[in-house]
Amino acid sequence: WVTPSQPHLFLEENASGAVIPGGIDICLVDAGACQDSNRRIFFEWLGIKKCDQGEVCRMIMECYTPFKGRTLEQSVQDLVYLFQTRHNGDIKSVDKIQLMRASPFESQFSCLKELYIVERGKTTIISKYAGYRTSNMPVLHHRYLKEFRRLGKESEFVDWACSRLKISTQPRLVDERHCLTKEFNFLAANAAGDLLLLLRDHFDRYSEQLNSKWPFTRCLKTAI
């Protein structure tokens, strides 16, 4: 029981099918009560509004900026909600979320720009070397992809994660400062052949970094 003045009190509204994650400071009026038209009029008279997806997204992000600690299951729910409401409730800071790594880095949360995705049924340079701690290729925990697979949205999620969240399916060879990454150094030292095959097979991805005419961005070409 809460008073109508309780912060973040909303009417149950699930038109999008997105389930509000557990562990965030939000109260929903009982769904059965909301279905009664007279009671719903009364709730609205009290000033209780429909659940605002944008507000829920902002509350989710408050758990990560700064990071306040989430369980893996809560984190999966957070990501699913942000994905399902990406057209209605997307927010600019969504790329500040942190997600859990897979083994051997399990139980560690990471920034998105550090994470990689290994798609089901695909053998990639990431899947080949992610198990080496020195490779600096932490993979997104399988529990996230398992949930999107259950929802029939795995490929859509991977596309969104790469385009919006900047998670990658291929090694990052230079960073935002145009410096060589730990991933590049690992491959150059331990798997030069695979590195050259990577550049050959995904040249469209790396060509801009290789063909840059600016001196301070030529480090990749020089290193190769």
Side-chain angles (χ1 to χ4, degrees):
W1 293 93
V2 296
T3 64
S5 59
Q6 169 78 20
H8 304 138
L9 174 63
F10 300 106
L11 299 176
E12 180 81 60
E13 190 76 11
N14 195 23
S16 68
V19 178
I20 296 176
I24 61 173
D25 185 21
I26 191 169
C27 295
L28 297 175
V29 177
D30 180 78
C34 291
Q35 292 173 4
D36 185 292
S37 59
N38 291 323
R39 297 178 76 178
R40 193 174 181 89
I41 292 171
F42 172 65
F43 295 143
E44 292 173 351
W45 177 77
L46 289 172
I48 305 173
K49 299 179 180 179
K50 294 179 181 178
C51 187
D52 183 290
Q53 292 179 340
E55 179 65 17
V56 175
C57 289
R58 286 188 288 274
M59 292 177 68
I60 290 173
M61 292 311 305
E62 285 176 2
C63 298
Y64 296 90
T65 50
F67 185 63
K68 299 175 183 176
R70 302 287 278 164
T71 66
L72 174 59
E73 288 307 310
Q74 288 173 337
S75 178
V76 170
Q77 292 173 16
D78 293 341
L79 189 60
V80 169
Y81 190 91
L82 292 170
F83 171 77
Q84 290 181 323
T85 60
R86 62 194 183 281
H87 302 303
N88 300 317
D90 203 7
I91 53 177
K92 293 181 180 178
S93 63
V94 69
D95 55 356
K96 302 296 183 184
I97 195 172
Q98 296 183 40
L99 302 175
M100 187 175 286
R101 301 175 172 196
S103 178
F105 308 97
E106 207 160 353
S107 299
Q108 295 182 35
F109 280 85
S110 290
C111 299
L112 301 175
K113 63 182 180 180
E114 299 174 355
L115 289 169
Y116 291 97
I117 286 178
V118 174
E119 298 178 74
R120 182 175 56 162
K122 291 187 178 181
T123 300
T124 66
I125 195 168
I126 299 295
S127 62
K128 189 173 182 179
Y129 296 107
Y132 296 84
R133 285 184 174 273
T134 54
S135 72
N136 199 49
M137 299 179 192
V139 172
L140 185 68
H141 198 285
H142 67 87
R143 182 66 185 80
Y144 297 97
L145 289 176
K146 182 179 179 181
E147 182 62 20
F148 284 105
R149 194 175 305 135
R150 185 185 69 81
L151 296 170
K153 299 287 185 179
E154 183 177 3
S155 61
E156 288 182 48
F157 164 70
V158 172
D159 291 342
W160 178 72
C162 292
S163 62
R164 181 67 179 86
L165 304 183
K166 306 307 179 186
I167 300 177
S168 183
T169 57
Q170 299 297 338
R172 302 175 181 92
L173 302 183
V174 293
D175 61 21
E176 297 170 344
R177 299 173 298 169
H178 306 288
C179 297
L180 296 174
T181 62
K182 292 180 180 179
E183 294 93 309
F184 174 85
N185 291 328
F186 172 85
L187 293 171
N190 301 281
D194 284 338
L195 175 59
L196 292 175
L197 290 174
L198 172 73
L199 293 169
R200 183 197 69 181
D201 297 340
H202 301 277
F203 189 75
D204 57 334
R205 177 187 179 92
Y206 299 107
S207 60
E208 184 177 349
Q209 299 167 10
L210 287 166
N211 295 325
S212 175
K213 296 181 180 180
W214 294 96
F216 67 91
T217 60
R218 289 179 184 166
C219 64
L220 179 59
K221 191 171 185 178
T222 301
I224 291 170

